[in-house]
Amino acid sequence: MIAIGTVGIIGAGAWGTALAQTAALAGRSVVLWARDERTAWAINARHENPRRLPGVVLQPGIRATADIAEACHADALVLAVPAQALRNVAAGLTAHLGAAMPVVIAAKGIERTSGAFLVDVLAEVLPAAVPAVLSGPSFAADVARGLPTAVTLAAADAGLAAALVSALGHAAFRPYSSTDLTGVQIGGAVKNVLAIACGIVVGRALGASAQAALIARGFAEMSRFGHALGARPETLAGLSGLGDLVLTATNAQSRNFSFGLALGRGDDTEALLTDGAAVTEGVWTAPAVVARAAGLGVEMPICAAVAAVVTGRIGLDDAIEGLMSRPLRPEG
């Protein structure tokens, strides 16, 4: 098996810090890159990320740095940056990355400008990297605190996937290996869009029955989209698909669900997306998913309604009415 002793984490937000914590708990040496020198200092001096994970005591084996080159001197790298920032951040690694470096993408989304999945963005920007994807039902605070969590970790090579699972997994953090990169990415991207829709349902007080129906019909959309792109059904029905959908479509800790909740209660989209607001990947992913689905001839009415609302093409009441007035049809 490939030996991974040192893990570099790119991005010291809540998720990157949580993954640094789990890698350290798994016995790895961890170098965490923070864009902000003050964050790096706090992690090294106080073993805490006060801005992103206040009150969580970090493992002493985590060393933070504001020099991105230092984090690249590792056996494997984790990109824990927002999906829409991945291209620019990855471009900044070109001078520091060795050939055949395993790079784990820990973001969930589709690039809005190109409509590309993040593995394809990485291949374009860092062709020497060997991509992997980590996704599944996981809140950063739960992972950082050592609460039980299970995710999927996919790489094209089963041996690399197994090595990465060993490098990051421990008693409370259980990655399950896969070679279905496409399916894992689809689950992580589409569930964010559907979580916005579920938040709207709750914010509009449409009832628990409507929320359950939306999750089921949303999963049907995810499955149709995945089938058209060659994803495995068991991947979509697993942790990175259905599992992550259930978590993010039912819990206010989810930024996408919370965004939809605020929309459903009447808040303005632009105000919710002001500078400094939490990253809501589903807003940017929705139009990209709908465009790719249209090109494949795949019908995704819930995702299309979310895309239309967040881009301001239709109002919330019209979107709901449009979904509720669709013709009745067999479920299959």
Side-chain angles (χ1 to χ4, degrees):
M1 183 182 288
I2 301 165
I4 299 175
T6 304
V7 176
I9 311 282
I10 305 298
W15 188 220
T17 304
L19 290 174
Q21 179 88 320
T22 200
L25 287 168
R28 306 310 126 193
S29 297
V30 181
V31 182
L32 173 62
W33 174 73
R35 188 185 301 274
D36 180 6
E37 290 187 2
R38 292 172 297 178
T39 298
W41 177 88
I43 291 170
N44 291 331
R46 296 164 45 189
H47 303 297
E48 181 189 19
N49 187 335
R51 288 188 61 210
R52 301 301 185 185
L53 286 172
V56 176
V57 179
L58 300 177
Q59 292 292 303
I62 299 171
R63 181 173 65 84
T65 179
D67 181 356
I68 203 167
E70 287 187 50
C72 293
H73 296 154
D75 300 317
L77 209 60
V78 177
L79 284 181
V81 298
Q84 307 309 323
L86 188 137
R87 179 181 293 274
N88 287 338
V89 173
L93 303 175
T94 53
H96 311 299
L97 219 60
M101 167 73 86
V103 177
V104 181
I105 297 169
K108 303 172 183 179
I110 296 176
E111 189 176 54
R112 59 173 168 165
T113 53
S114 66
F117 286 109
L118 301 182
V119 162
D120 300 320
V121 174
L122 187 68
E124 182 183 336
V125 179
L126 289 175
V130 181
V133 177
L134 185 150
S135 191
S138 48
F139 288 138
D142 291 349
V143 172
R145 290 186 169 90
L147 299 178
T149 306
V151 297
T152 304
L153 204 164
D157 178 75
L160 175 59
L164 290 167
V165 163
S166 294
L168 296 175
H170 57 84
F173 187 78
R174 294 179 55 81
Y176 286 76
S177 64
S178 171
T179 55
D180 186 7
L181 285 162
T182 299
V184 172
Q185 289 181 97
I186 287 170
V190 175
K191 64 92 185 179
N192 282 334
V193 182
L194 298 172
I196 293 175
C198 279
I200 291 170
V201 166
V202 175
R204 263 295 199 266
L206 298 179
S209 300
Q211 186 180 7
L214 192 146
I215 290 172
R217 296 311 304 160
F219 180 66
E221 292 189 15
M222 180 191 292
S223 298
R224 288 197 296 270
F225 187 53
H227 176 75
L229 289 168
R232 298 175 196 154
E234 61 268 26
T235 304
L236 299 173
L239 290 163
S240 60
L242 181 59
D244 210 359
L245 173 59
V246 169
L247 179 71
T248 55
T250 60
N251 196 297
Q253 288 186 72
S254 161
R255 291 187 293 259
N256 293 282
F257 179 87
S258 295
F259 178 86
L261 190 67
L263 281 183
R265 290 171 175 168
D267 289 4
D268 179 70
T269 303
E270 280 192 34
L272 292 170
L273 296 174
T274 53
D275 290 341
V279 175
T280 308
E281 295 286 12
V283 172
W284 316 120
T285 298
V289 164
V290 172
R292 285 203 70 156
L296 295 165
V298 174
E299 193 176 25
M300 300 182 76
I302 297 171
C303 290
V306 172
V309 168
V310 299
T311 55
R313 288 188 284 115
I314 62 173
L316 202 51
D317 291 333
D318 290 338
I320 294 169
E321 183 181 350
L323 287 172
M324 295 303 295
S325 61
R326 286 172 54 80
L328 298 175
R329 49 184 271 183
E331 186 176 28

